[in-house]
């Protein structure tokens, strides 16, 4: 969904939609397989930052199924993200703003809304997802053989190894 980011910023208007995270190629392989919906509502609103520079406010809300790295079971991770993306009007400005360590995107060409959503989602997902304390099934009583056997990730193999030792 290409759009003119500087124009959106100037108008203060919004773009919004819904996306299935499983359709975002760089996110899809981090999701738990066959673990249900990964629907996210997104909204991009044109705005200005505190210094009056053109920006976009990006919000993401929904939940995605990730695999708990402790018990290797899928669980829903709530996504509730709100970020300001500064718009750079040239390569030079991009380099300068990047140095300030704020989130900045080059807006000399039309931007793709879903690519921005995907970037933001990748940044907001936990690197090593785990159930909250007290909700994890990883205990000596729970083995979960059927699910761990179909996994081939290094984490899955590590889980098998731990069980064998125990
Ligand atoms: Zn767990």
């Amino acid at each position: 969904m290409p759009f003119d980011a500087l124009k959106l910023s100037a108008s203060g208007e919004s773009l919004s939609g819904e996306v299935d995270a499983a359709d975002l190629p760089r996110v899809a392989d981090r999701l738990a397989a066959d673990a249900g919906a990964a629907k996210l509502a997104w909204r991009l609103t044109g705005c200005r930052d505190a210094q009056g520079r053109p920006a976009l406010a990006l919000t993401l809300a929904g939940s995605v199924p990730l695999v708990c790295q402790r018990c290797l079971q899928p669980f829903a991770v709530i996504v509730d993200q709100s970020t300001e993306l500064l718009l750079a009007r040239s390569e030079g400005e991009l380099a300068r703003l990047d140095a300030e360590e704020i989130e900045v995107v080059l807006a000399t060409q039309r931007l793709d809304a879903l690519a921005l959503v995907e970037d933001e989602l990748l940044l907001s997902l936990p690197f090593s997802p785990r159930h909250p304390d007290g909700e994890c099934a990883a205990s000596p009583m729970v083995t979960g053989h059927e699910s761990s056997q179909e996994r081939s990730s290094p984490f899955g193999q590590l889980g098998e190894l731990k069980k064998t030792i125990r």
Side-chain angles (χ1 to χ4, degrees), residues 76-110:
V77 172
I78 302 295
V79 176
D80 184 10
Q81 187 74 13
S82 185
T83 316
E84 190 174 75
L85 303 171
L86 212 54
L87 300 175
R89 285 159 291 196
S90 67
E91 296 276 359
E93 199 175 34
L94 178 70
R96 193 163 48 76
L97 293 172
D98 246 351
E100 292 181 33
E101 294 184 16
I102 41 187
E103 285 196 54
V104 50
V105 290
L106 184 60
T108 51
Q109 295 177 351
R110 288 164 77 81

Side-chain angles (χ1 to χ4, degrees), residues 68 71 131 136-137:
C68 170
C71 68
H131 280 108
C136 189

Side-chain angles (χ1 to χ4, degrees), residues 13 21 23 35-36 49 92 127 134 156 162:
E13 288 173 357
D23 292 334
D49 79 345
F127 180 71
K162 278 183 182 156

Side-chain angles (χ1 to χ4, degrees), residues 2 9 13 20 22 39 43 50-51 65 69 75 84-85 87 100 104 109 115 123 125 128 144 159:
S9 166
E13 288 173 357
D20 186 336
K39 291 271 190 230
R43 174 177 291 269
Q51 298 177 45
Q69 297 306 309
F75 72 115
E84 190 174 75
L85 303 171
L87 300 175
E100 292 181 33
V104 50
Q109 295 177 351
L123 288 174
L125 291 180
S128 178

